[in-house]
Amino acid sequence: MNNQILDLNKDIKRCEDVLIENNYLEIVIALEELIDKYKDTINTIATDNNKVWSYNKNDLVDLKNKIIKYKEDVLENYNKEICINTFNDVRDNILNNSKILKEKKYELINIIDELEKINNKNVDDEDKWNELKKYIIYTTDEKSYVSKYIISLINFIL
């Protein structure tokens, strides 16, 4: 993941540098290399081989913007995956914790489901915090081996 982002950043920087340099030959070379590199990963890149010598500076600007958008999508998907894994890991830890009674496990799983819904809402942190406060209060009456799961998720959400 890190290498992919670094590579995308490098290609975005290359586009910016070539645009600043404004050398037609370098623009064509950059376009050809980057189109070839991303044609199978970025669906919106057209691979019209007849266009080589009719490229212009705007084509490179468009390609740079497509690479930026692709980078944003990669990061968003990575962040979603982290969220899913985080919540699933906490669920698994609760289910496998022998100290927690079966009834309490179901209660905690329901709370985790609610926390995940809060996390997935598209609202600002203040609104999320207002919804999360009741779970902080909930943890004050629980054992530490129960509370740590809820508190860690609240911290993750914020």
Side-chain angles (χ1 to χ4, degrees), residues 4-18:
Q4 184 180 17
I5 297 300
L6 289 173
D7 197 35
L8 288 163
N9 285 339
K10 184 181 82 175
D11 291 337
I12 292 166
K13 176 77 169 120
R14 179 178 181 199
C15 290
E16 291 168 349
D17 291 345
V18 169

Side-chain angles (χ1 to χ4, degrees), residues 12-68:
I12 292 166
K13 176 77 169 120
R14 179 178 181 199
C15 290
E16 291 168 349
D17 291 345
V18 169
L19 286 166
I20 290 170
E21 187 179 315
N22 201 21
N23 177 316
Y24 183 72
L25 182 59
E26 290 301 317
I27 290 171
V28 170
I29 292 170
L31 278 163
E32 283 295 311
E33 290 176 358
L34 293 171
I35 287 171
D36 189 51
K37 181 176 182 177
Y38 290 107
K39 67 183 176 194
D40 295 330
T41 52
I42 302 176
N43 295 333
T44 56
I45 291 180
T47 56
D48 183 10
N49 290 334
N50 299 327
K51 192 173 180 183
V52 174
W53 292 111
S54 61
Y55 283 131
N56 61 49
K57 195 173 182 177
N58 290 334
D59 293 320
L60 188 57
V61 171
D62 290 342
L63 181 60
K64 180 185 95 167
N65 291 335
K66 288 176 183 179
I67 296 171
I68 290 170

Side-chain angles (χ1 to χ4, degrees), residues 90 93-94 97 99-100 108 139 142-155:
V90 172
N93 287 336
I94 287 171
N97 189 323
K99 293 180 185 178
I100 302 173
L108 290 169
T139 61
E142 296 296 327
K143 299 283 186 193
S144 65
Y145 58 84
V146 171
S147 295
K148 70 180 180 181
Y149 297 114
I150 305 302
I151 292 171
S152 68
L153 286 176
I154 290 170
N155 187 46

